[in-house]
Amino acid sequence: MRRHPRELSVAGVLALLLVALAIVAPAFFSPQPLRSLLVREMPALIVACGMAFVIVAREIDISVGSQFSLCSVLAGLLAAAGWPLPLVLLAALGAGALMGLANGALVALAGLPSIVVTLATMVTLRQGLNLARQGEFVNLPDGVQWFGLSQTAGQWLVLAVAAGVLAALAWASRHLAAGRFVYAVGSDAAAARLAGVNPVRVTLGVFVFMGALTGFAAVLNLIQSPQVQPLVGSGLELKVIAAAVVGGVAISGGRGSLWGVLAGLLLLATIPPALTHLHIEAYWEKAIQGAIILLAAASDGLGRKRSNHG
Amino acid sequence: MKTPRLLALFLATAVAALAADAKLMFALMPKAKGNAYFLSVKAGAEKAAKELNVELLFDGPTDTNAAKQNEIVENWITLGVDVIAVAAENRDGISTALRKARAQGITVLTYDADAQAAARSFFVNQATPQGIGYTLMDEAARLTGGEGEFAIITATLTAANQREWQKHIEARLAEKYPKMKLVAVRPCDDLKDRAQSEATALMSAHQNLKLIMAICSPGVPGAAEAVKQAGRAGAVKVIGLGLPNENKRYVHEGVTDAVILWDTGDLGYLTVQAGVALADGKLKAGDQQFKVGNRTFAIEGDNILLGSPFVFTRENIDRFDF
């Protein structure tokens, strides 16, 4: 309880919401719609994991939505051109990593603030994509959706892949040197340098990893429908940053876990369908999500104050 | 030395005089010239140009670029075209250049997206909010037999266009279809994927839902994919305001029943017909209607109305490519 207070309290709120739904609107738990809704959130979960590492390293990347769009359209065009899916995946990973490298180089090597750098790349990438596509959808060939499997098998595969990635990353963040270095740099870069960690390399690394995960998530989203909308992923940066913050990743760096991110994302993602089931007007949705983020931030602030006094 | 120059001057004058006597020059500007939507407008415009024996110039920015539109209008003024028709990217941005063109005696009108009223004589209006709202509601009633629950997926709850359309949908519902019930309005932020999630939740929350109506274009394929994945094609109808190419696959699969927009070819055709009639003095400010062959288009103030929206269905959707 002491080690994971935030993760547990967010999971508790999510559990309360689900219990309330089970009583008032049991139809929420119909298997097919519930699985479909969950599958739709998996790409955002992967991006949120990457964002958690970026924030733990005391940086931010608000260009992930634009990166996601670009990777999606690129992957879609390659798939439409007949590339096999494994190569499409490699290309998306590569494109994401390259964009991450550009962000990372400007932040880690040139020493520019990450919020400014990624604001610039967010706008530039988005406008470039608008110019190139003018909103036109990419139509995918048959056999791309669900990897050519049946819908049910495809959906379980997406869930399994996302769960696997989440578990692997959660383990790596605690047990691999690279994972621990991210926390070390985010807590205290000077101390980390004294301990032999190269903060420049770590910062560069988290941005590249963020980009690659975004490319991976784009493909995980691509295979869920037969068309790619170039606007896909717009607003994704806000969603994943909110999930990380609600899940207990400290915006001041050095603290947070991926299990918290999972709970935060699921909590925020449950609000819109929950409102539909409870017949509450959509006007409340953003207000409720905002209140959850504010509560999370406030509990961080209070917690820090208390520990400072203690 | 002197003679050739005089000769050249004479020749140039002669050519200019010939050009003036020759075909009327009609300059048509899209928001973006490579865009499939405007290419289909152009096809209709070419048909009218052929019928009326006028020369059609079609030029615009390669991407949506308000400044580039101004530049092209300036060039057209220098070139001495007779009619300019513009789909304005920026209402106020284009108006100075258009006013200048009018001052030079060029006939100016707008279509698709209007400029300031003083900058053009007429706006060829492709669809009124009432026309869109009523057509959507009438189609919904036709497909459900006039009874049952339906839901709307909109862009955002505050988007001005969508609110205006929704107002007319609800007015038509109250007036004509007492057995139909609007059970929910959900936003999709203009994202197809979000519309899919919203439609999934709507179907599970409202088990008796008969129809989903999407009033933002990405919402239509998004809702269709949700209905298809839920295995409820046919049981839950999908209609909406959208583009043919984004919906063809679902229309042919029997998931989406009707896509509503306007006939873009007709929009180009009417724009050229109206522009030439204006230049010839056959159409004047204050006219109540405009006749082309056996078709009559209503005029409201300085808006020439294209008429009721067009309903794309399985039978006709393949004729359109935008």
PDB file of all heavy atoms in Angstrom, chain A residues 78-113:
ATOM      1  N   LEU A  78       1.921   2.094 -47.517  1.00  0.00           N
ATOM      2  CA  LEU A  78       2.783   0.950 -47.840  1.00  0.00           C
ATOM      3  C   LEU A  78       1.955  -0.328 -47.940  1.00  0.00           C
ATOM      4  O   LEU A  78       2.160  -1.141 -48.850  1.00  0.00           O
ATOM      5  CB  LEU A  78       3.887   0.797 -46.781  1.00  0.00           C
ATOM      6  CG  LEU A  78       4.907   1.934 -46.742  1.00  0.00           C
ATOM      7  CD1 LEU A  78       5.926   1.706 -45.632  1.00  0.00           C
ATOM      8  CD2 LEU A  78       5.625   2.075 -48.081  1.00  0.00           C
ATOM      9  N   ALA A  79       1.010  -0.498 -47.008  1.00  0.00           N
ATOM     10  CA  ALA A  79       0.152  -1.684 -47.056  1.00  0.00           C
ATOM     11  C   ALA A  79      -0.672  -1.672 -48.342  1.00  0.00           C
ATOM     12  O   ALA A  79      -0.851  -2.695 -49.005  1.00  0.00           O
ATOM     13  CB  ALA A  79      -0.764  -1.744 -45.835  1.00  0.00           C
ATOM     14  N   ALA A  80      -1.151  -0.472 -48.718  1.00  0.00           N
ATOM     15  CA  ALA A  80      -1.945  -0.357 -49.943  1.00  0.00           C
ATOM     16  C   ALA A  80      -1.089  -0.653 -51.177  1.00  0.00           C
ATOM     17  O   ALA A  80      -1.586  -1.124 -52.195  1.00  0.00           O
ATOM     18  CB  ALA A  80      -2.562   1.037 -50.040  1.00  0.00           C
ATOM     19  N   ALA A  81       0.222  -0.364 -51.067  1.00  0.00           N
ATOM     20  CA  ALA A  81       1.125  -0.625 -52.190  1.00  0.00           C
ATOM     21  C   ALA A  81       1.524  -2.099 -52.251  1.00  0.00           C
ATOM     22  O   ALA A  81       2.315  -2.494 -53.103  1.00  0.00           O
ATOM     23  CB  ALA A  81       2.368   0.255 -52.077  1.00  0.00           C
ATOM     24  N   GLY A  82       1.009  -2.890 -51.320  1.00  0.00           N
ATOM     25  CA  GLY A  82       1.244  -4.328 -51.382  1.00  0.00           C
ATOM     26  C   GLY A  82       2.372  -4.837 -50.505  1.00  0.00           C
ATOM     27  O   GLY A  82       2.737  -6.008 -50.588  1.00  0.00           O
ATOM     28  N   TRP A  83       2.951  -3.968 -49.670  1.00  0.00           N
ATOM     29  CA  TRP A  83       4.010  -4.454 -48.771  1.00  0.00           C
ATOM     30  C   TRP A  83       3.426  -5.459 -47.782  1.00  0.00           C
ATOM     31  O   TRP A  83       2.316  -5.261 -47.285  1.00  0.00           O
ATOM     32  CB  TRP A  83       4.600  -3.291 -47.977  1.00  0.00           C
ATOM     33  CG  TRP A  83       5.533  -2.414 -48.749  1.00  0.00           C
ATOM     34  CD1 TRP A  83       5.407  -2.036 -50.057  1.00  0.00           C
ATOM     35  CD2 TRP A  83       6.717  -1.772 -48.257  1.00  0.00           C
ATOM     36  NE1 TRP A  83       6.430  -1.202 -50.396  1.00  0.00           N
ATOM     37  CE2 TRP A  83       7.267  -1.018 -49.318  1.00  0.00           C
ATOM     38  CE3 TRP A  83       7.361  -1.757 -47.017  1.00  0.00           C
ATOM     39  CZ2 TRP A  83       8.423  -0.267 -49.179  1.00  0.00           C
ATOM     40  CZ3 TRP A  83       8.515  -1.000 -46.879  1.00  0.00           C
ATOM     41  CH2 TRP A  83       9.044  -0.276 -47.958  1.00  0.00           C
ATOM     42  N   PRO A  84       4.175  -6.519 -47.464  1.00  0.00           N
ATOM     43  CA  PRO A  84       3.705  -7.440 -46.424  1.00  0.00           C
ATOM     44  C   PRO A  84       3.717  -6.748 -45.051  1.00  0.00           C
ATOM     45  O   PRO A  84       4.544  -5.868 -44.807  1.00  0.00           O
ATOM     46  CB  PRO A  84       4.711  -8.584 -46.467  1.00  0.00           C
ATOM     47  CG  PRO A  84       5.883  -8.067 -47.211  1.00  0.00           C
ATOM     48  CD  PRO A  84       5.433  -6.934 -48.075  1.00  0.00           C
ATOM     49  N   LEU A  85       2.800  -7.184 -44.162  1.00  0.00           N
ATOM     50  CA  LEU A  85       2.631  -6.493 -42.880  1.00  0.00           C
ATOM     51  C   LEU A  85       3.900  -6.401 -42.023  1.00  0.00           C
ATOM     52  O   LEU A  85       4.135  -5.374 -41.401  1.00  0.00           O
ATOM     53  CB  LEU A  85       1.493  -7.132 -42.087  1.00  0.00           C
ATOM     54  CG  LEU A  85       0.097  -6.573 -42.422  1.00  0.00           C
ATOM     55  CD1 LEU A  85      -0.973  -7.291 -41.621  1.00  0.00           C
ATOM     56  CD2 LEU A  85       0.030  -5.072 -42.151  1.00  0.00           C
ATOM     57  N   PRO A  86       4.751  -7.456 -41.971  1.00  0.00           N
ATOM     58  CA  PRO A  86       5.966  -7.312 -41.153  1.00  0.00           C
ATOM     59  C   PRO A  86       6.853  -6.156 -41.632  1.00  0.00           C
ATOM     60  O   PRO A  86       7.418  -5.419 -40.813  1.00  0.00           O
ATOM     61  CB  PRO A  86       6.675  -8.657 -41.336  1.00  0.00           C
ATOM     62  CG  PRO A  86       5.589  -9.610 -41.687  1.00  0.00           C
ATOM     63  CD  PRO A  86       4.576  -8.830 -42.460  1.00  0.00           C
ATOM     64  N   LEU A  87       6.953  -5.968 -42.953  1.00  0.00           N
ATOM     65  CA  LEU A  87       7.754  -4.857 -43.460  1.00  0.00           C
ATOM     66  C   LEU A  87       7.091  -3.508 -43.170  1.00  0.00           C
ATOM     67  O   LEU A  87       7.766  -2.526 -42.869  1.00  0.00           O
ATOM     68  CB  LEU A  87       7.968  -5.004 -44.977  1.00  0.00           C
ATOM     69  CG  LEU A  87       9.008  -6.039 -45.408  1.00  0.00           C
ATOM     70  CD1 LEU A  87       9.165  -6.039 -46.929  1.00  0.00           C
ATOM     71  CD2 LEU A  87      10.348  -5.738 -44.748  1.00  0.00           C
ATOM     72  N   VAL A  88       5.757  -3.495 -43.262  1.00  0.00           N
ATOM     73  CA  VAL A  88       5.005  -2.272 -42.929  1.00  0.00           C
ATOM     74  C   VAL A  88       5.285  -1.890 -41.482  1.00  0.00           C
ATOM     75  O   VAL A  88       5.538  -0.724 -41.162  1.00  0.00           O
ATOM     76  CB  VAL A  88       3.486  -2.494 -43.152  1.00  0.00           C
ATOM     77  CG1 VAL A  88       2.687  -1.337 -42.569  1.00  0.00           C
ATOM     78  CG2 VAL A  88       3.185  -2.657 -44.636  1.00  0.00           C
ATOM     79  N   LEU A  89       5.286  -2.898 -40.613  1.00  0.00           N
ATOM     80  CA  LEU A  89       5.546  -2.656 -39.191  1.00  0.00           C
ATOM     81  C   LEU A  89       6.947  -2.082 -38.990  1.00  0.00           C
ATOM     82  O   LEU A  89       7.138  -1.109 -38.252  1.00  0.00           O
ATOM     83  CB  LEU A  89       5.369  -3.960 -38.407  1.00  0.00           C
ATOM     84  CG  LEU A  89       5.662  -3.887 -36.908  1.00  0.00           C
ATOM     85  CD1 LEU A  89       4.682  -2.957 -36.209  1.00  0.00           C
ATOM     86  CD2 LEU A  89       5.606  -5.266 -36.269  1.00  0.00           C
ATOM     87  N   LEU A  90       7.932  -2.669 -39.674  1.00  0.00           N
ATOM     88  CA  LEU A  90       9.313  -2.178 -39.573  1.00  0.00           C
ATOM     89  C   LEU A  90       9.408  -0.726 -40.030  1.00  0.00           C
ATOM     90  O   LEU A  90      10.067   0.098 -39.396  1.00  0.00           O
ATOM     91  CB  LEU A  90      10.242  -3.044 -40.429  1.00  0.00           C
ATOM     92  CG  LEU A  90      10.814  -4.286 -39.765  1.00  0.00           C
ATOM     93  CD1 LEU A  90      11.738  -5.032 -40.725  1.00  0.00           C
ATOM     94  CD2 LEU A  90      11.579  -3.890 -38.499  1.00  0.00           C
ATOM     95  N   ALA A  91       8.730  -0.425 -41.142  1.00  0.00           N
ATOM     96  CA  ALA A  91       8.778   0.938 -41.671  1.00  0.00           C
ATOM     97  C   ALA A  91       8.169   1.924 -40.679  1.00  0.00           C
ATOM     98  O   ALA A  91       8.702   3.017 -40.462  1.00  0.00           O
ATOM     99  CB  ALA A  91       8.048   1.004 -43.010  1.00  0.00           C
ATOM    100  N   ALA A  92       7.037   1.523 -40.063  1.00  0.00           N
ATOM    101  CA  ALA A  92       6.377   2.415 -39.102  1.00  0.00           C
ATOM    102  C   ALA A  92       7.267   2.622 -37.874  1.00  0.00           C
ATOM    103  O   ALA A  92       7.408   3.742 -37.367  1.00  0.00           O
ATOM    104  CB  ALA A  92       5.022   1.846 -38.689  1.00  0.00           C
ATOM    105  N   LEU A  93       7.896   1.520 -37.403  1.00  0.00           N
ATOM    106  CA  LEU A  93       8.818   1.629 -36.267  1.00  0.00           C
ATOM    107  C   LEU A  93       9.970   2.567 -36.622  1.00  0.00           C
ATOM    108  O   LEU A  93      10.354   3.434 -35.835  1.00  0.00           O
ATOM    109  CB  LEU A  93       9.382   0.248 -35.918  1.00  0.00           C
ATOM    110  CG  LEU A  93       8.485  -0.707 -35.145  1.00  0.00           C
ATOM    111  CD1 LEU A  93       9.131  -2.095 -35.072  1.00  0.00           C
ATOM    112  CD2 LEU A  93       8.235  -0.184 -33.737  1.00  0.00           C
ATOM    113  N   GLY A  94      10.502   2.397 -37.820  1.00  0.00           N
ATOM    114  CA  GLY A  94      11.633   3.212 -38.255  1.00  0.00           C
ATOM    115  C   GLY A  94      11.249   4.681 -38.367  1.00  0.00           C
ATOM    116  O   GLY A  94      11.979   5.567 -37.899  1.00  0.00           O
ATOM    117  N   ALA A  95      10.084   4.939 -38.969  1.00  0.00           N
ATOM    118  CA  ALA A  95       9.650   6.330 -39.134  1.00  0.00           C
ATOM    119  C   ALA A  95       9.441   6.975 -37.770  1.00  0.00           C
ATOM    120  O   ALA A  95       9.862   8.119 -37.532  1.00  0.00           O
ATOM    121  CB  ALA A  95       8.366   6.385 -39.948  1.00  0.00           C
ATOM    122  N   GLY A  96       8.817   6.230 -36.852  1.00  0.00           N
ATOM    123  CA  GLY A  96       8.597   6.758 -35.509  1.00  0.00           C
ATOM    124  C   GLY A  96       9.915   7.034 -34.799  1.00  0.00           C
ATOM    125  O   GLY A  96      10.105   8.100 -34.210  1.00  0.00           O
ATOM    126  N   ALA A  97      10.844   6.077 -34.908  1.00  0.00           N
ATOM    127  CA  ALA A  97      12.137   6.244 -34.241  1.00  0.00           C
ATOM    128  C   ALA A  97      12.886   7.450 -34.803  1.00  0.00           C
ATOM    129  O   ALA A  97      13.537   8.190 -34.057  1.00  0.00           O
ATOM    130  CB  ALA A  97      12.969   4.975 -34.400  1.00  0.00           C
ATOM    131  N   LEU A  98      12.789   7.655 -36.127  1.00  0.00           N
ATOM    132  CA  LEU A  98      13.458   8.806 -36.745  1.00  0.00           C
ATOM    133  C   LEU A  98      12.891  10.127 -36.223  1.00  0.00           C
ATOM    134  O   LEU A  98      13.647  11.051 -35.892  1.00  0.00           O
ATOM    135  CB  LEU A  98      13.271   8.763 -38.261  1.00  0.00           C
ATOM    136  CG  LEU A  98      14.375   8.108 -39.072  1.00  0.00           C
ATOM    137  CD1 LEU A  98      14.026   8.118 -40.557  1.00  0.00           C
ATOM    138  CD2 LEU A  98      15.696   8.838 -38.821  1.00  0.00           C
ATOM    139  N   MET A  99      11.570  10.200 -36.131  1.00  0.00           N
ATOM    140  CA  MET A  99      10.959  11.429 -35.608  1.00  0.00           C
ATOM    141  C   MET A  99      11.355  11.629 -34.151  1.00  0.00           C
ATOM    142  O   MET A  99      11.620  12.747 -33.711  1.00  0.00           O
ATOM    143  CB  MET A  99       9.428  11.379 -35.771  1.00  0.00           C
ATOM    144  CG  MET A  99       8.994  11.515 -37.223  1.00  0.00           C
ATOM    145  SD  MET A  99       7.196  11.596 -37.420  1.00  0.00           S
ATOM    146  CE  MET A  99       6.776   9.870 -37.430  1.00  0.00           C
ATOM    147  N   GLY A 100      11.420  10.502 -33.397  1.00  0.00           N
ATOM    148  CA  GLY A 100      11.855  10.581 -32.010  1.00  0.00           C
ATOM    149  C   GLY A 100      13.301  11.050 -31.912  1.00  0.00           C
ATOM    150  O   GLY A 100      13.658  11.839 -31.043  1.00  0.00           O
ATOM    151  N   LEU A 101      14.129  10.582 -32.859  1.00  0.00           N
ATOM    152  CA  LEU A 101      15.542  10.974 -32.883  1.00  0.00           C
ATOM    153  C   LEU A 101      15.666  12.480 -33.116  1.00  0.00           C
ATOM    154  O   LEU A 101      16.482  13.151 -32.482  1.00  0.00           O
ATOM    155  CB  LEU A 101      16.265  10.188 -33.987  1.00  0.00           C
ATOM    156  CG  LEU A 101      17.777  10.419 -34.109  1.00  0.00           C
ATOM    157  CD1 LEU A 101      18.494   9.905 -32.866  1.00  0.00           C
ATOM    158  CD2 LEU A 101      18.328   9.738 -35.352  1.00  0.00           C
ATOM    159  N   ALA A 102      14.841  13.002 -34.022  1.00  0.00           N
ATOM    160  CA  ALA A 102      14.886  14.445 -34.294  1.00  0.00           C
ATOM    161  C   ALA A 102      14.515  15.222 -33.029  1.00  0.00           C
ATOM    162  O   ALA A 102      15.227  16.160 -32.637  1.00  0.00           O
ATOM    163  CB  ALA A 102      13.928  14.788 -35.433  1.00  0.00           C
ATOM    164  N   ASN A 103      13.429  14.823 -32.380  1.00  0.00           N
ATOM    165  CA  ASN A 103      13.038  15.469 -31.118  1.00  0.00           C
ATOM    166  C   ASN A 103      14.154  15.348 -30.095  1.00  0.00           C
ATOM    167  O   ASN A 103      14.545  16.315 -29.440  1.00  0.00           O
ATOM    168  CB  ASN A 103      11.770  14.820 -30.540  1.00  0.00           C
ATOM    169  CG  ASN A 103      10.504  15.289 -31.231  1.00  0.00           C
ATOM    170  OD1 ASN A 103      10.454  16.389 -31.783  1.00  0.00           O
ATOM    171  ND2 ASN A 103       9.478  14.451 -31.216  1.00  0.00           N
ATOM    172  N   GLY A 104      14.652  14.111 -29.930  1.00  0.00           N
ATOM    173  CA  GLY A 104      15.651  13.817 -28.909  1.00  0.00           C
ATOM    174  C   GLY A 104      16.930  14.597 -29.120  1.00  0.00           C
ATOM    175  O   GLY A 104      17.525  15.115 -28.171  1.00  0.00           O
ATOM    176  N   ALA A 105      17.357  14.706 -30.383  1.00  0.00           N
ATOM    177  CA  ALA A 105      18.603  15.415 -30.673  1.00  0.00           C
ATOM    178  C   ALA A 105      18.461  16.886 -30.305  1.00  0.00           C
ATOM    179  O   ALA A 105      19.356  17.481 -29.712  1.00  0.00           O
ATOM    180  CB  ALA A 105      18.959  15.256 -32.148  1.00  0.00           C
ATOM    181  N   LEU A 106      17.315  17.472 -30.653  1.00  0.00           N
ATOM    182  CA  LEU A 106      17.113  18.893 -30.351  1.00  0.00           C
ATOM    183  C   LEU A 106      17.053  19.134 -28.843  1.00  0.00           C
ATOM    184  O   LEU A 106      17.505  20.164 -28.352  1.00  0.00           O
ATOM    185  CB  LEU A 106      15.829  19.401 -31.029  1.00  0.00           C
ATOM    186  CG  LEU A 106      15.931  19.547 -32.548  1.00  0.00           C
ATOM    187  CD1 LEU A 106      14.564  19.745 -33.176  1.00  0.00           C
ATOM    188  CD2 LEU A 106      16.863  20.715 -32.894  1.00  0.00           C
ATOM    189  N   VAL A 107      16.514  18.146 -28.107  1.00  0.00           N
ATOM    190  CA  VAL A 107      16.391  18.311 -26.656  1.00  0.00           C
ATOM    191  C   VAL A 107      17.717  17.973 -25.965  1.00  0.00           C
ATOM    192  O   VAL A 107      18.268  18.784 -25.211  1.00  0.00           O
ATOM    193  CB  VAL A 107      15.255  17.432 -26.084  1.00  0.00           C
ATOM    194  CG1 VAL A 107      15.237  17.488 -24.559  1.00  0.00           C
ATOM    195  CG2 VAL A 107      13.909  17.873 -26.660  1.00  0.00           C
ATOM    196  N   ALA A 108      18.227  16.770 -26.245  1.00  0.00           N
ATOM    197  CA  ALA A 108      19.380  16.273 -25.485  1.00  0.00           C
ATOM    198  C   ALA A 108      20.687  16.908 -25.955  1.00  0.00           C
ATOM    199  O   ALA A 108      21.530  17.262 -25.132  1.00  0.00           O
ATOM    200  CB  ALA A 108      19.465  14.756 -25.605  1.00  0.00           C
ATOM    201  N   LEU A 109      20.869  17.076 -27.264  1.00  0.00           N
ATOM    202  CA  LEU A 109      22.150  17.578 -27.766  1.00  0.00           C
ATOM    203  C   LEU A 109      22.153  19.106 -27.856  1.00  0.00           C
ATOM    204  O   LEU A 109      23.113  19.759 -27.471  1.00  0.00           O
ATOM    205  CB  LEU A 109      22.466  16.963 -29.134  1.00  0.00           C
ATOM    206  CG  LEU A 109      22.515  15.425 -29.145  1.00  0.00           C
ATOM    207  CD1 LEU A 109      22.757  14.889 -30.545  1.00  0.00           C
ATOM    208  CD2 LEU A 109      23.589  14.916 -28.185  1.00  0.00           C
ATOM    209  N   ALA A 110      21.048  19.671 -28.389  1.00  0.00           N
ATOM    210  CA  ALA A 110      21.016  21.125 -28.534  1.00  0.00           C
ATOM    211  C   ALA A 110      20.551  21.815 -27.258  1.00  0.00           C
ATOM    212  O   ALA A 110      20.656  23.030 -27.135  1.00  0.00           O
ATOM    213  CB  ALA A 110      20.114  21.516 -29.701  1.00  0.00           C
ATOM    214  N   GLY A 111      20.002  21.026 -26.321  1.00  0.00           N
ATOM    215  CA  GLY A 111      19.626  21.597 -25.019  1.00  0.00           C
ATOM    216  C   GLY A 111      18.381  22.465 -25.042  1.00  0.00           C
ATOM    217  O   GLY A 111      18.186  23.310 -24.179  1.00  0.00           O
ATOM    218  N   LEU A 112      17.502  22.269 -26.051  1.00  0.00           N
ATOM    219  CA  LEU A 112      16.271  23.059 -26.100  1.00  0.00           C
ATOM    220  C   LEU A 112      15.207  22.426 -25.202  1.00  0.00           C
ATOM    221  O   LEU A 112      15.206  21.210 -25.017  1.00  0.00           O
ATOM    222  CB  LEU A 112      15.762  23.136 -27.542  1.00  0.00           C
ATOM    223  CG  LEU A 112      16.732  23.757 -28.551  1.00  0.00           C
ATOM    224  CD1 LEU A 112      16.197  23.618 -29.968  1.00  0.00           C
ATOM    225  CD2 LEU A 112      16.949  25.220 -28.217  1.00  0.00           C
ATOM    226  N   PRO A 113      14.279  23.218 -24.660  1.00  0.00           N
ATOM    227  CA  PRO A 113      13.222  22.641 -23.812  1.00  0.00           C
ATOM    228  C   PRO A 113      12.310  21.730 -24.636  1.00  0.00           C
ATOM    229  O   PRO A 113      11.894  22.097 -25.747  1.00  0.00           O
ATOM    230  CB  PRO A 113      12.449  23.859 -23.293  1.00  0.00           C
ATOM    231  CG  PRO A 113      13.096  25.063 -23.862  1.00  0.00           C
ATOM    232  CD  PRO A 113      14.180  24.674 -24.778  1.00  0.00           C
TER     233      PRO A 113
END
